[in-house]
Amino acid sequence: MKFLPLAVGLGLSAAAVLVVPGSGATASMQSATVVDKPHPVASKYLRQRPKWTKCGDEEFRTYCAKVTVPRDWANQYAGNDLEIAVSKVAPRKGTPSRVVFGNPGGPGGAGLGMAPYLASQPALAKDHLAVGFDPRGTGSSSNVSCEGTPGYTMDARDRDPATRDLIAEASELAQPYCDRQSRGLLPYVTTAQTVQDMDLIRQLLGFDTIDYVGYSGGTWLGAYYQTYFPEHVGRFVLDSNTDFTKTWMDTFVSQPQAFERRFREDFAPWAAKYDDQLKLGSTPGAIIRRYERLRRALKERPASEEFLDGAIKVTYDQNSLDQLISGDMYSKLDFPLLAADLLFLEELSEAQSKGGPQAAQRHVDSLSTARQRQLVQRANRAPIGLRMLGEDSEDATFTAITCNDTPWPQGREYGEQLAARLGPHFPLLGWTMAENPCFAWDRPNLTMPTPTGKGLPTTLMVQSVHDPATSYSLALSAHRRYVGSRLVTVTGEGDHGVYGGVNKCADRIVNTFLTTGVAPAADATCAGEGIPAPEKEAPGDEEMSGAPLRRIARFTQAVSGYLP
């Protein structure tokens, strides 16, 4: 998971903050129905027969369909039904005896790729029907949108009143823009509605219980499904955990320290260890100071360069530098790419400082086509965990769920106090804590039951100790409150998303649990496998077999777009 500023790359002009579109946002949010318990399903939804069609290449063996669900589960005859895109992969031989659902997090991440991803795990391929879905609001399901929302493009470290006013204005504008673009759907994009969509999918597939693998924001979704539908819970694995026993705000507040720790205690020492190859500095402190100098230079003189013969323009400033670094904290396999990009940006900034924009452009033009393409891809990549950008449906769904699900303090003061408290200690993300539309969000009248774990089978939780997006402290807090849970701690590790290639010990425990139902008798610890030495050529994303969330994203891309 990762918190990032809303609508990165969208300018916030004076004109933008002077005009608030009339959208009826407050009225629509107030009219949403409380959904705090599961509702019996109307027969018209149970009678539907999804039309499965092959999606993706033959090698993925994936079939997709759309399932019709009510917009509001508490008012199933009100009309305005939605469509949920679902994917499935069956075992190569025989009939599956169990079904495993998957969710990649976000919340709001498109999840059709979870089916082929889970089916690619040898332990699950024999006897499980693997199922993925795009949650309501995102992907190939009925969408919400925040297109046009003004962004947080100012420097959050700038504490003058004018900057703070612009941040507050951007937060206040988010909901009117999102509500106008989402045609009345925004109040109904909540975890409470989504878990009921999941259970309808279960019923249509013909299974009494489901197993589940949820990453990041998917741990929140999984815990709430367990809370709403305990009688249908099988073997649940929650990997890289939110504190689903508290509020979304608790998860966000933990992020600045966790990202800073990952940067200072994992990346910087690793880069210093291989200084002869990476050329960033021989001590962690030297590398941190180098980052700060580069940040000041890019703030003073942002670099806007054309790539691939002018086909694409990329602007680098202090915010894009922070986003580049934070985005590469999720997986240690990204560390070599980050080191290479930091050197590139330093060279680019120096060229511009000495020779002006033309010198900087000549530096870009001197790069190979492959390297230019890589830089463009990395500048435009989507984060792999929790984020708040506000432009496409995944980001809008994230904003809706996190702002709608649980209460937030209203007004700019609380966010500004958080930024002032956390920024000096954790500058990578701490100063951005006020950049959150939830502080100005009129949420629906929704109270969800708090997940406790009572009456459930064992829940297996997996967590690395230096996870940047979902801090280890969140997993410990949720574990203490979640009755019957077992926590697998991966020490000496900071990757976000563990199951599926990051740690062999953790994979064995998870696979044993999913295939036999046998969980560790007590909490377990797995030793991390270390950060590999940089290779002569930094790997591209296609080679990152040890980064589960990246693999899921590639699967999702490969099987999406085949449904009408």
Side-chain angles (χ1 to χ4, degrees):
M1 298 181 66
K2 183 176 185 304
F3 171 85
L4 282 177
L6 172 70
V8 171
L10 296 177
L12 182 64
S13 65
V17 301
L18 291 175
V19 180
V20 180
S23 65
T26 300
S28 72
M29 299 305 284
Q30 291 177 341
S31 66
T33 303
V34 173
V35 182
D36 60 0
K37 61 182 180 180
H39 295 269
V41 182
S43 59
K44 64 175 182 175
Y45 299 110
L46 293 173
R47 288 197 303 266
Q48 64 183 303
R49 295 292 179 264
K51 297 179 180 179
W52 297 96
T53 184
K54 186 177 294 185
C55 48
D57 294 341
E58 192 72 34
E59 61 181 299
F60 300 126
R61 301 186 297 110
T62 303
Y63 286 82
C64 299
K66 285 190 174 180
V67 169
T68 300
V69 302
R71 184 177 72 164
D72 182 3
W73 277 97
N75 292 285
Q76 297 178 40
Y77 294 97
N80 298 311
D81 286 344
L82 310 179
E83 290 185 317
I84 304 299
V86 185
S87 60
K88 67 177 183 178
V89 178
R92 291 185 182 275
K93 297 180 180 179
T95 301
S97 63
R98 304 187 69 88
V99 62
V100 57
F101 280 48
N103 182 271
L112 291 182
M114 285 298 307
Y117 171 75
L118 291 171
S120 73
Q121 306 300 315
L124 300 179
K126 299 176 183 178
D127 197 38
H128 279 79
L129 176 69
V131 174
F133 66 101
D134 290 346
R136 58 169 59 205
T138 195
S140 298
S141 297
S142 298
N143 277 189
V144 290
S145 173
C146 290
E147 184 177 0
T149 306
Y152 300 112
T153 57
M154 61 293 293
D155 185 359
R157 293 195 191 186
D158 186 350
R159 304 298 294 162
D160 70 54
T163 298
R164 296 203 302 270
D165 287 347
L166 287 174
I167 291 172
E169 293 276 8
S171 296
E172 292 165 4
L173 284 167
Q175 189 176 13
Y177 271 93
C178 296
D179 199 51
R180 183 181 66 177
Q181 298 294 332
S182 300
R183 306 169 307 283
L185 178 55
L186 202 66
Y188 306 99
V189 177
T190 67
T191 297
Q193 301 281 358
T194 300
V195 295
Q196 294 178 114
D197 298 341
M198 287 176 62
D199 200 62
L200 175 60
I201 297 169
R202 174 196 64 78
Q203 294 181 68
L204 295 175
L205 291 172
F207 287 86
D208 185 57
T209 62
I210 67 170
D211 299 336
Y212 180 83
V213 176
Y215 296 92
S216 190
T219 64
W220 180 282
L221 181 64
Y224 275 97
Y225 180 88
Q226 291 179 305
T227 302
Y228 275 75
F229 299 99
E231 67 275 20
H232 300 300
V233 170
R235 303 159 186 170
F236 271 51
V237 176
L238 308 182
D239 185 329
S240 304
N241 291 264
T242 60
D243 187 350
F244 41 79
T245 68
K246 295 184 179 179
T247 69
W248 277 116
M249 189 178 70
D250 290 286
T251 291
F252 283 133
V253 170
S254 75
Q255 289 186 327
Q257 181 181 20
F259 272 94
E260 200 76 29
R261 177 178 58 198
R262 177 71 156 160
F263 183 44
R264 291 175 179 267
E265 297 182 21
D266 289 358
F267 173 78
W270 171 84
K273 179 180 179 180
Y274 296 105
D275 181 48
D276 59 335
Q277 187 172 340
L278 300 176
K279 312 296 184 186
L280 285 179
S282 59
T283 67
I287 292 169
I288 300 299
R289 290 190 295 272
R290 196 165 184 170
Y291 149 69
E292 290 289 352
R293 288 195 299 271
L294 177 58
R295 191 185 192 281
R296 287 193 295 271
L298 289 174
K299 179 180 180 179
E300 182 180 349
R301 301 187 69 173
S304 295
E305 313 303 334
E306 294 181 349
F307 288 78
L308 303 174
D309 297 325
I312 298 175
K313 190 172 185 177
V314 177
T315 297
Y316 296 102
D317 62 8
Q318 75 283 347
N319 290 336
S320 56
L321 174 64
D322 289 347
Q323 291 151 19
L324 174 71
I325 292 172
S326 58
D328 284 339
M329 295 299 100
Y330 288 102
S331 171
K332 57 184 174 289
L333 299 184
D334 273 329
F335 285 6
L337 288 170
L338 174 58
D341 285 2
L342 289 175
L343 281 181
F344 161 73
L345 288 175
E346 190 173 67
E347 293 167 354
L348 187 69
S349 180
E350 289 178 356
Q352 179 163 267
S353 177
K354 294 177 180 178
Q358 291 182 337
Q361 185 62 57
R362 286 195 296 271
H363 181 67
V364 170
D365 293 341
S366 70
L367 301 175
S368 69
T369 300
R371 176 60 172 148
Q372 289 190 43
R373 186 176 293 113
Q374 184 183 63
L375 287 165
V376 168
Q377 289 172 344
R378 283 172 55 74
N380 292 282
R381 64 182 171 167
I384 60 173
L386 186 66
R387 74 274 197 195
M388 190 176 290
L389 303 181
E391 178 64 15
D392 66 15
S393 63
E394 289 194 23
D395 306 324
T397 301
F398 165 85
T399 303
I401 291 173
T402 54
C403 294
N404 284 340
D405 272 5
T406 56
W408 289 78
Q410 291 301 288
R412 60 188 286 183
E413 293 80 9
Y414 190 85
E416 290 182 356
Q417 290 170 6
L418 276 178
R421 176 163 59 88
L422 298 176
H425 302 289
F426 316 117
L428 187 61
L429 281 186
W431 293 110
T432 69
M433 291 306 294
E435 297 180 346
N436 190 330
C438 297
F439 291 126
W441 196 270
D442 185 16
R443 59 185 294 270
N445 183 23
L446 170 65
T447 302
M448 298 189 296
T450 300
T452 64
K454 293 179 181 178
L456 294 173
T458 299
T459 298
L460 188 64
M461 300 172 64
V462 183
Q463 188 76 31
S464 69
V465 294
H466 276 193
D467 186 322
T470 49
S471 171
Y472 185 53
S473 63
L474 298 173
L476 289 175
S477 176
H479 173 48
R480 284 194 296 266
R481 291 173 170 81
Y482 213 55
V483 175
S485 60
R486 296 285 186 274
L487 178 61
V488 179
T489 297
V490 185
T491 60
E493 179 59 75
D495 276 16
H496 181 66
V498 175
Y499 172 61
V502 169
N503 186 272
K504 297 182 181 65
C505 167
D507 283 355
R508 284 194 297 270
I509 294 172
V510 172
N511 284 328
T512 298
F513 177 67
L514 287 172
T515 55
T516 69
V518 176
D523 292 345
T525 299
C526 292
E529 298 175 8
I531 305 174
E535 299 177 358
K536 291 184 178 180
E537 293 186 7
D541 280 353
E542 69 281 354
E543 301 173 43
M544 296 179 66
S545 59
L549 294 177
R550 288 281 167 80
R551 291 187 62 210
I552 293 166
R554 288 199 298 273
F555 274 123
T556 296
Q557 184 178 23
V559 301
S560 295
Y562 291 86
L563 291 171

